[in-house]
Amino acid sequence: MSIKFSELPIIPEIQSALKSLEYEIPTPIQEGSIPSLLDGRDLLGCAQTGTGKTAAFAIPILQKIQQMGQYPIPYEPLGLIIAPTRELVVQISENISAIGKHTKVRHTKIYGGVGQRPQVAALAKGVHLLVATPGRLLDLIDQEYCFLSKLQFFVLDEADRMLDMGFMPDVQKIVRLLPRKRQSVFLSATMPAPIEKLAAALLHNHVTVMVTPPSTTAERVEQRVMFVDRGNKRKLLDRLLEDPARSRVLVFMRTKHGADRLYKSLVDAGVSAEGIHGGRSQNARQRVLTAFRNGEVRVLIATDVAARGIDIDNISHVINFDVPVEAESYVHRIGRTARAGASGESITLCDGEEFKYLQEIEKTIDMTIPVDRDHPYHSITAEDAELHKYDKFARPKEPRSTKRGVSTRGPRVKTMGGSRDGGRDARGRDNTPASNRTRSQDMGRSQGAVAGGPSRRKSSEQQSERSEGGAVTQRRRSISGKVKKIKLRSPSSQTTKFGKRSRPKSKRR
Ligand code: AMP
């Protein structure tokens, strides 16, 4: 039988509010976290909106502040809850008002896009609790309207969405301002690598409550990489846009000049496109975003900076015209699609120069992005950028004269764990000469060339095997040609608590 709120050590002021809200039985995240938070422990909660996560942290924090019996101090809150969007801030604040209505705890909302004067007035009067978006909060801190030195309770809500929306630098700035002695709550629906790192840095002696499987953004988005020479990227983009199913497309570029150029050339070509980058005014960006949100504009060209805080659902495709230099930006970019639990698609156009960034990204997201070669601009040189590094040394040379006579050593051709005429190349593709290949090998090749069924992936999947504990392992060949056995997934470990969960290690370095 489930425990009831009335059986938990919750003060009467809050019990009566819960009764009027008709909360009788705590949800799993509430049951798992309220007693620990009342005990003063930190919390890592892996939970989505709709699980009752707000009350899970609001009840204990309201209770503790109420029991402290302090008047609020002007500009110096005791508790801070940060959330990625204004809507979420409003929702959390409403929940706090309802749960804390019989307490003496005062709180206020802080978010951008509105005048700051009422927010400053509330801070001047003094509040116990702040519910804020990171950008506006930092603005007020910079203007010395808010100091975090007295903070005792800190909640980071929807941490993964913060990352998706590009707020991580702001969050990190706020975290650096927090006093060391505090109680922290960290909530995230998914646990991509940068989020795990932040949680580890933020929490001390924490308990973990998981109520959703920790699938990462990267797992929810169907990702593809297309190898293409820089000069053909624009033509490939045109081709991708020929498909009407790509109805709301966000195209990312590294520089604002590049974004401007691309936007103008798309408009000249008759594509319904707009561009936003850091160089445009806030008003212009807002106008463009509204048009994109309403479906009046099909293609939006953005830079990483400008895309911060974009919160638009139903983006059908994210196209990375440039591979981002920062792996974290990649996670943020692809997170713009696959919102609200939906699946989405991202396509990354990678030239030979960008190959090194792609490798870093794959390390960070801990997966190999499937290659789509099913387009007319596929560049073997770009795909084999890694291999070509070796080819420089492997280029056939004239036999060298040595003191002893003519060298018989030929060039060393890098093959992946096989002989020169029947191995695999650096990206794991079969490089057996056509004459030596079997029909089934050829069929494997052509299957691998279709979208969504890349040979690179396929070849390693074919080598997957299941170990005793149910863990799936893969034999992979590293660049040096050594065969590595890598643990991919342990179904049983998925449900264990964060921290003990075994994450698959990076497969290709
Ligand atoms: P949240 O995940 O915090 O956004 O909460 C989702 C919804 O569940 C909100 O409308 C809450 O009012 C409601 N809720 C939260 N906890 C409970 C509970 N224990 N019993 C009934 N409803 C709840």
Side-chain angles (χ1 to χ4, degrees):
M1 246 230 347
S2 304
I3 193 163
K4 290 183 176 169
F5 276 116
S6 55
E7 296 167 56
L8 290 174
I10 296 174
I11 53 174
E13 294 91 322
I14 295 178
Q15 289 284 13
S16 62
L18 296 179
K19 213 172 265 167
S20 45
L21 283 168
E22 295 180 358
Y23 291 7
E24 194 193 347
I25 313 279
T27 64
I29 182 128
Q30 292 162 358
E31 190 179 334
S33 40
I34 292 173
S36 305
L37 286 172
L38 287 172
D39 270 355
R41 298 282 299 272
D42 281 3
L43 172 80
L44 174 67
C46 201
Q48 283 168 335
T49 299
T51 53
K53 65 186 169 71
T54 315
F57 64 77
I59 294 172
I61 292 178
L62 284 167
Q63 172 154 334
K64 287 187 153 209
I65 296 178
Q66 171 75 4
Q67 287 174 328
M68 285 162 76
Q70 277 185 16
Y71 282 110
I73 307 166
Y75 307 110
E76 294 186 327
L78 287 175
L80 169 65
I81 296 153
I82 54 173
T85 62
R86 173 183 167 157
E87 292 74 23
L88 196 56
V89 164
V90 171
Q91 208 177 299
I92 294 170
S93 168
E94 282 170 359
N95 235 298
I96 289 177
S97 299
I99 297 169
K101 71 176 172 189
H102 302 303
T103 67
K104 294 206 156 68
V105 180
R106 286 223 299 260
H107 78 280
T108 196
K109 315 182 274 277
I110 302 275
Y111 48 75
V114 293
Q116 69 170 39
R117 209 181 283 184
Q119 300 175 0
V120 172
L123 283 164
K125 223 168 138 197
V127 288
H128 294 102
L129 257 180
L130 276 188
V131 190
T133 52
R136 171 58 65 90
L137 177 67
L138 277 175
D139 278 355
L140 296 178
I141 289 174
D142 283 348
Q143 298 170 61
E144 304 197 337
Y145 285 127
C146 180
F147 299 89
L148 302 182
S149 50
K150 296 257 170 25
L151 210 80
Q152 298 189 24
F153 308 100
F154 174 67
V155 179
L156 177 59
D157 198 10
E158 302 212 348
D160 53 347
R161 205 153 154 216
M162 295 271 192
L163 174 70
D164 287 350
M165 292 174 72
F167 290 152
M168 251 330 123
D170 286 351
V171 170
Q172 272 154 346
K173 269 188 218 159
I174 293 168
V175 168
R176 279 196 288 273
L177 298 172
L178 301 177
R180 280 173 71 86
K181 198 167 170 299
R182 58 169 198 264
Q183 188 176 12
S184 306
V185 175
F186 190 102
L187 294 163
S188 192
T190 62
M191 282 290 164
I195 292 298
E196 275 192 26
K197 212 169 127 194
L198 182 66
L202 207 70
L203 302 169
H204 303 281
N205 185 25
H206 66 275
V207 289
T208 304
V209 181
M210 272 195 182
V211 296
T212 42
S215 75
T216 62
T217 313
E219 281 164 2
R220 279 180 291 131
V221 179
E222 198 185 316
Q223 302 163 67
R224 281 187 277 164
V225 59
M226 291 181 161
F227 288 103
V228 55
D229 294 328
R230 179 141 288 268
N232 282 333
K233 280 197 176 186
R234 179 57 221 285
K235 288 184 214 148
L236 179 54
L237 179 66
D238 284 345
R239 193 162 174 106
L240 291 171
L241 293 176
E242 277 169 17
D243 183 350
R246 300 196 168 108
S247 53
R248 198 172 294 181
V249 184
L250 187 54
V251 179
F252 277 100
M253 305 248 357
R254 252 196 310 265
T255 66
K256 64 180 181 189
H257 297 296
D260 249 355
R261 261 201 313 273
L262 181 63
Y263 151 65
K264 282 178 188 142
S265 82
L266 282 174
V267 169
D268 287 347
V271 178
S272 156
E274 266 292 1
I276 52 163
H277 57 64
R280 293 190 83 167
S281 72
Q282 184 65 27
N283 275 353
R285 281 158 63 174
Q286 214 50 53
R287 198 170 28 76
V288 166
L289 278 179
T290 309
F292 188 58
R293 196 176 277 130
N294 297 341
E296 293 154 30
V297 168
R298 180 180 168 218
V299 182
L300 183 65
I301 323 288
T303 56
D304 290 301
V305 174
R308 273 196 191 182
I310 292 187
D311 191 27
I312 297 173
D313 288 335
N314 304 328
I315 290 176
S316 67
H317 288 75
V318 165
I319 298 180
N320 293 313
F321 196 89
D322 293 321
V323 181
V325 177
E326 301 275 333
E328 205 180 90
S329 297
Y330 179 83
V331 180
H332 162 220
R333 287 179 178 192
I334 68 167
R336 312 319 308 133
T337 180
R339 299 301 306 277
S343 58
E345 260 189 276
S346 89
I347 301 169
T348 300
L349 312 188
C350 179
D351 67 25
E353 289 291 304
E354 295 168 320
F355 189 90
K356 51 186 180 288
Y357 306 135
L358 183 70
Q359 282 185 309
E360 277 308 308
I361 289 165
E362 290 185 337
K363 259 196 238 174
T364 301
I365 62 172
D366 219 1
M367 64 180 283
T368 305
I369 304 169
V371 183
D372 183 353
R373 302 182 184 85
D374 192 21
H375 61 93
Y377 305 106
H378 177 63
S379 165
I380 295 169
T381 341
E383 181 171 10
D384 287 352
E386 187 65 27
L387 183 64
H388 276 246
K389 262 190 348 207
Y390 296 101
D391 278 352
K392 263 190 230 160
F393 304 105
R395 196 168 296 131
K397 291 179 189 148
E398 291 300 312
R400 272 182 293 142
S401 295
T402 64
K403 278 184 190 161
R404 291 190 193 157
V406 175
S407 165
T408 52
R409 273 198 301 159
R412 275 160 46 96
V413 176
K414 200 87 179 172
T415 56
M416 303 305 288
S419 64
R420 206 180 295 171
D421 56 356
R424 279 182 183 275
D425 65 21
R427 297 191 76 79
R429 291 170 310 143
D430 186 354
N431 63 10
T432 310
S435 54
N436 291 4
R437 281 201 307 269
T438 62
R439 198 174 133 71
S440 61
Q441 274 173 309
D442 268 332
M443 281 169 67
R445 264 174 189 239
S446 58
Q447 274 171 12
V450 297
S455 63
R456 183 155 74 115
R457 190 120 212 233
K458 199 130 196 150
S459 62
S460 48
E461 275 169 4
Q462 279 160 356
Q463 295 172 30
S464 296
E465 59 189 46
R466 198 169 277 274
S467 71
E468 278 169 12
V472 180
T473 57
Q474 266 188 8
R475 285 178 203 280
R476 288 237 177 169
R477 285 168 207 276
S478 67
I479 302 248
S480 64
K482 284 189 188 136
V483 177
K484 272 193 192 164
K485 210 171 179 188
I486 304 144
K487 194 167 178 190
L488 269 187
R489 186 185 292 272
S490 163
S492 56
S493 68
Q494 288 288 312
T495 52
T496 63
K497 287 185 172 181
F498 170 73
K500 290 185 182 159
R501 186 169 70 90
S502 52
R503 282 198 313 114
K505 289 277 169 278
S506 189
K507 292 135 196 136
R508 187 160 53 75
R509 306 270 138 145

